[in-house]
Amino acid sequence: MSITPLMPVYPRCDVRPVRGEGCYLIGERGERYLDFAAGIAVNALGHGHPQFTKAVQDQLATLTHVSNLYGSPQGEALAQRIVDNTFADTVFFTNSGAEAIECAIKTARRYHYVSGNPNKTKIITFHNAFHGRTMGAISATNQAKMRDGFEPLLPGFDYAPFNDLDAALALVDENTAGFMVETVQGEGGMTAGTPEFIQGLRKACDDHGMLLILDEIQCGYGRTGKFFAHEHYGITPDIMTVAKGIGNGFPLGACLATEEAAKGMVFGTHGSTYGGNPLAMAAGMAVLDVMLEPGFFEHVAKMGDRLRAAFEQMIPNHDHLFDEIRGKGLMLGIKLKEPAVARDFVAHLRDHHGLLTVAAGENVFRVLPPLVIDESHIAEAVEKLSAGARSYAPLSDD
Ligand SMILES: *Cc1c(COP(=O)(O)O)cnc(C)c1O
């Protein structure tokens, strides 16, 4: 037998972390990495955050899991806090981002069904989108690498180029339920939606009775310097998916909706055995205890500005390698000039300079540090990145 016990769907590398300390990961041989990947935008508070750790430990010892058949003081408290701080009136808790997407798709279709428009099932999504790996989520992207071999997929999706409002509107017909879009695309290449695009989708939904679903699984929860990325655009969605930073590493996601958009989601229409259990709720509450302190998002915005400015200064010194900077806040991407080297450059930074980043589409590498970084981490990251750029010879040394 040659298949590995861990199903070999990831190209796992030689970084084998066994411990985390703040913004650092420590490998099996004791080597240290500056973690500007943060579990792909998950470890918003870094590793081993004392307040978070204590809250989860206390809840673990008190009550870990009960069925959603019972009342949930913990779930009600976290949902209320999310409702108080967002556009949403109601929240469904999941264990992952893809499950939040499933709930969003179901909520949107069900809305039109109970509104007397059962034909309105089509959801328009965008090129390079990433919504997760369930059958529903891969049906909602046109990326072949995620879809090939898994067909037939869920019908009822159509795909327009990202940031092309006219193309999106041209796909709307009498069967369209709405749009589902990442406010800032993550895996696809760290491209922020333009204001005209995001605001234009909102307006089209208002004008034609459609629903706007924002996928803020990566760009939400403080990542862009505001609680949610759509706050930069002055609009709100009808339905929104969140995950990643919401649990700081505890598997947690959520589908948020307005009362109107969720009107079809009544008893028996959806469920999850684990979703929103007391342990998960303690993790989610601990994250908000830290994030909703005054000044947290301002800190993210400030660190994002500093990091971007430092990158902008560095780029001219390595203009054979770096093309442009993308993203918002601490959700940054750098596009490389040499074609198709993002993965190779990420490996180079990791193996030779102890800096962890993440590859994305369009030959971009993602810089996604914990949101609690300070100036010293920025200085260290820029030093490592500059050294990495100097020593890098594309596709020769890894
Ligand atoms: C990570 C991600 C998902 C999928 O989340 P999982 O927890 O892996 O299921 C969906 N959408 C976006 C934008 C993401 O970044």
Side-chain angles (χ1 to χ4, degrees):
M1 245 198 306
S2 66
I3 193 163
T4 48
L6 263 183
M7 194 182 275
V9 294
Y10 278 102
R12 291 177 186 275
C13 69
D14 289 339
V15 176
R16 297 166 63 84
V18 291
R19 213 170 66 246
E21 288 173 7
C23 300
Y24 296 87
L25 281 179
I26 293 97
E28 269 179 332
R29 288 164 274 118
E31 75 282 15
R32 285 173 79 82
Y33 301 92
L34 180 62
D35 186 8
F36 271 40
I40 315 188
V42 168
N43 302 103
L45 310 183
H47 303 283
H49 190 282
Q51 198 178 335
F52 174 81
T53 304
K54 178 164 192 318
V56 175
Q57 278 173 340
D58 287 351
Q59 187 62 48
L60 183 65
T62 307
L63 182 64
T64 303
H65 174 83
V66 294
S67 166
N68 280 315
L69 296 172
Y70 307 115
S72 174
Q74 307 85 2
E76 286 167 8
L78 183 57
Q80 183 67 55
R81 199 158 180 203
I82 292 172
V83 164
D84 288 344
N85 286 283
T86 65
F87 75 95
D89 301 313
T90 192
V91 182
F92 182 86
F93 291 110
T94 67
N95 314 290
S96 67
E99 286 171 278
I101 293 288
E102 294 288 329
C103 182
I105 295 169
K106 287 179 71 174
T107 301
R109 286 194 173 168
R110 186 83 189 172
Y111 165 81
H112 291 294
Y113 174 84
V114 300
S115 301
N117 299 306
N119 59 304
K120 289 194 187 291
T121 57
K122 184 173 91 174
I123 297 176
I124 297 168
T125 66
F126 295 90
H127 294 184
N128 276 345
F130 181 71
H131 299 298
R133 299 295 199 142
T134 59
M135 292 299 286
I138 63 174
S139 304
T141 180
N142 74 335
Q143 292 201 64
K145 65 181 179 196
M146 288 163 200
R147 300 167 53 106
D148 283 356
F150 298 114
E151 284 156 351
L153 299 181
L154 187 64
F157 291 89
D158 219 336
Y159 318 94
F162 187 70
N163 274 338
D164 186 338
L165 182 62
D166 291 340
L169 299 185
L171 293 177
V172 172
D173 61 25
E174 71 282 2
N175 299 322
T176 305
F179 302 100
M180 182 160 76
V181 63
E182 294 157 85
T183 320
V184 182
Q185 279 196 336
E187 194 275 342
M190 303 299 264
T191 310
T194 61
E196 308 76 67
F197 178 64
I198 299 292
Q199 291 159 2
L201 294 178
R202 174 70 271 171
K203 182 168 187 309
C205 288
D206 292 341
D207 291 350
H208 302 291
M210 300 183 295
L211 297 174
L212 179 63
I213 306 170
L214 291 182
D215 179 350
E216 296 221 5
I217 290 171
Q218 191 163 153
C219 63
Y221 258 77
R223 184 50 59 187
T224 68
K226 294 197 183 282
F227 193 11
F228 291 104
H230 62 262
E231 295 170 33
H232 294 284
Y233 299 82
I235 59 111
T236 57
D238 302 295
I239 300 171
M240 180 171 74
T241 57
V242 297
K244 295 204 162 91
I246 189 178
N248 192 43
F250 195 92
L252 177 61
C255 176
L256 283 58
T258 63
E259 180 168 17
E260 174 68 7
K263 71 182 180 184
M265 300 305 279
V266 297
F267 293 140
T269 53
H270 199 46
S272 166
T273 298
Y274 294 130
N277 80 17
L279 191 55
M281 296 300 90
M285 194 58 102
V287 167
L288 287 187
D289 284 342
V290 177
M291 276 196 190
L292 296 179
E293 275 294 306
F296 186 92
F297 300 128
E298 288 78 1
H299 173 80
V300 177
K302 187 168 134 193
M303 291 300 110
D305 288 346
R306 296 279 159 87
L307 191 57
R308 181 186 277 268
F311 286 163
E312 267 160 9
Q313 244 182 4
M314 181 192 69
I315 281 190
N317 303 331
H318 308 281
D319 62 358
H320 64 291
L321 187 60
F322 299 135
D323 186 349
E324 58 163 359
I325 303 169
R326 298 177 169 189
K328 270 187 196 300
L330 287 176
M331 182 173 178
L332 295 176
I334 300 182
K335 188 170 167 64
L336 296 163
K337 277 192 175 154
E338 187 89 11
V341 293
R343 267 176 199 284
D344 190 54
F345 188 63
V346 165
H348 177 77
L349 291 174
R350 177 186 79 213
D351 297 341
H352 301 287
H353 299 277
L355 176 64
L356 303 183
T357 59
V358 194
E362 298 196 331
N363 204 27
V364 168
F365 70 96
R366 285 182 269 185
V367 181
L368 296 163
L371 304 182
V372 295
I373 54 166
D374 61 32
E375 306 272 2
S376 74
H377 302 110
I378 292 179
E380 187 181 342
V382 170
E383 192 186 302
K384 286 180 186 305
L385 190 53
S386 301
R390 280 195 299 276
S391 63
Y392 182 64
L395 298 172
S396 63
D397 64 348
D398 285 289

